[in-house]
Amino acid sequence: MASQLSEREGWRVVVENRPGALQTVAMLDVLKQPADGLTIYPMSVPTAAVPALMPQLGIRPDDDFIPVVKLSTSYNVLVIPPDFSAKTMPEFVALLKARPGQFNFSSAGFGTPAHLAAELFKLEAGVQAVHVPYVQPQQRLADLLTGINHFDFLASVTAGDLIATGKLRGIAVTAPSRIVGLPNVPTVVEQGFPNLVVEDYVGFAVKSGTPDAVVGRLNEAVNRALRDPKVRETFEKLGATPAGGAQPDFRDFMRKQVGHWSRVVKEAGIKLPQ
């Protein structure tokens, strides 16, 4: 998107990677900048969980930022070892219930989409499992493939090849309907868990106080770029569906996301390690 905005709008777009602390390093940096729309923050699932997971920071992404436009939507896949007796989500839930607390699930860290999806799964299914967070993605996958950990909610683009080669079994997609890349993997809705639909999204936001005209111009520019077939193809290769849409739609979506994940964090009793 950075290259598209540079080429189409003539803007000089610089991408600064500021990882760490559930993306709050980047969030706080954006909030230090003027409210002129020249510094953009990419919102995603962890953004919505920050108020509940890190209340001491006092960040409210739905108040401190103006959500401008959703760029993409994707979904995760519940994967398990292929030698498990369970072949469906209900069968896997029954297995977990029979052996509470004896199975591990992995993620890329606290508050990441895989972690939050798994905690929601535990709540909805009424099961217990141990969270094992990873910093290194290679080690996370290695421990999953060797059976050290027993399930994960992998991004669909990551899960696809592992399922196709028989290294993992995909038993559910966190989508409302089946996805193009994994047509043989049923959804959580099909298997009786409609509240387990979890959208993994990315969207642009700017600091609150940014003039409406600037917000509108950015929204229009992104929507124009997303209509380009080549851009859409690039997103789809990453396992994502281009989104776009009006600014109020993304604003309302983020408000619901903050409320939803705050509830999940509270009900699941998630605490960040000190």
Side-chain angles (χ1 to χ4, degrees), residues 4 8 223-233:
Q4 285 294 318
R8 292 170 174 273
N223 274 298
R224 278 194 294 271
L226 289 173
R227 287 193 287 268
D228 186 309
K230 291 182 179 179
V231 174
R232 298 183 71 84
E233 183 181 355

Side-chain angles (χ1 to χ4, degrees), residues 47 63 102 123 168 240:
T47 304
D63 290 332
Q102 295 183 34
L123 288 174
L168 291 172

Side-chain angles (χ1 to χ4, degrees), residues 38-109:
L38 297 180
T39 308
I40 300 168
Y41 170 71
M43 289 183 155
S44 58
V45 171
T47 304
V50 163
L53 288 173
M54 305 182 76
Q56 71 277 12
L57 294 181
I59 296 176
R60 286 290 305 187
D62 47 347
D63 290 332
D64 298 332
F65 292 88
I66 299 174
V68 177
V69 61
K70 188 192 291 185
L71 272 68
S72 65
T73 293
S74 60
Y75 296 96
N76 288 21
V77 184
L78 173 55
V79 294
I80 62 174
D83 58 354
F84 269 21
S85 59
K87 292 181 173 58
T88 66
M89 196 170 179
E91 289 175 357
F92 183 56
V93 169
L95 183 63
L96 293 178
K97 285 183 175 180
R99 297 165 60 186
Q102 295 183 34
F103 292 95
N104 303 329
F105 69 92
S106 48
S107 80

Side-chain angles (χ1 to χ4, degrees), residues 235-259:
F235 272 74
E236 288 162 2
K237 286 180 180 177
L238 296 171
T241 301
Q247 186 272 324
D249 293 340
F250 188 42
R251 176 199 63 203
D252 294 345
F253 173 81
M254 284 307 303
R255 286 176 178 167
K256 291 177 181 176
Q257 283 286 295
V258 171

Side-chain angles (χ1 to χ4, degrees), residues 106-115 131-137 140 152-153:
S106 48
S107 80
F110 285 88
T112 58
H115 176 218
H131 178 215
V132 184
Y134 285 81
V135 174
Q136 297 295 332
R140 171 189 174 192
D152 200 326
F153 281 82

Side-chain angles (χ1 to χ4, degrees), residues 1-11 13 204 218 221-222 225:
M1 187 52 63
S3 64
Q4 285 294 318
L5 293 177
S6 297
E7 294 171 12
R8 292 170 174 273
E9 309 298 328
W11 300 343
V13 182
F204 280 167
L218 179 57
V222 171

Side-chain angles (χ1 to χ4, degrees), residues 190-248:
E190 289 176 69
Q191 300 182 85
F193 294 90
N195 294 329
L196 261 176
V197 172
V198 178
E199 181 180 335
D200 193 359
Y201 54 88
V202 178
F204 280 167
V206 294
K207 184 178 178 179
S208 286
T210 299
D212 291 344
V214 175
V215 173
R217 187 179 176 194
L218 179 57
N219 176 277
E220 292 169 3
V222 171
N223 274 298
R224 278 194 294 271
L226 289 173
R227 287 193 287 268
D228 186 309
K230 291 182 179 179
V231 174
R232 298 183 71 84
E233 183 181 355
T234 300
F235 272 74
E236 288 162 2
K237 286 180 180 177
L238 296 171
T241 301
Q247 186 272 324

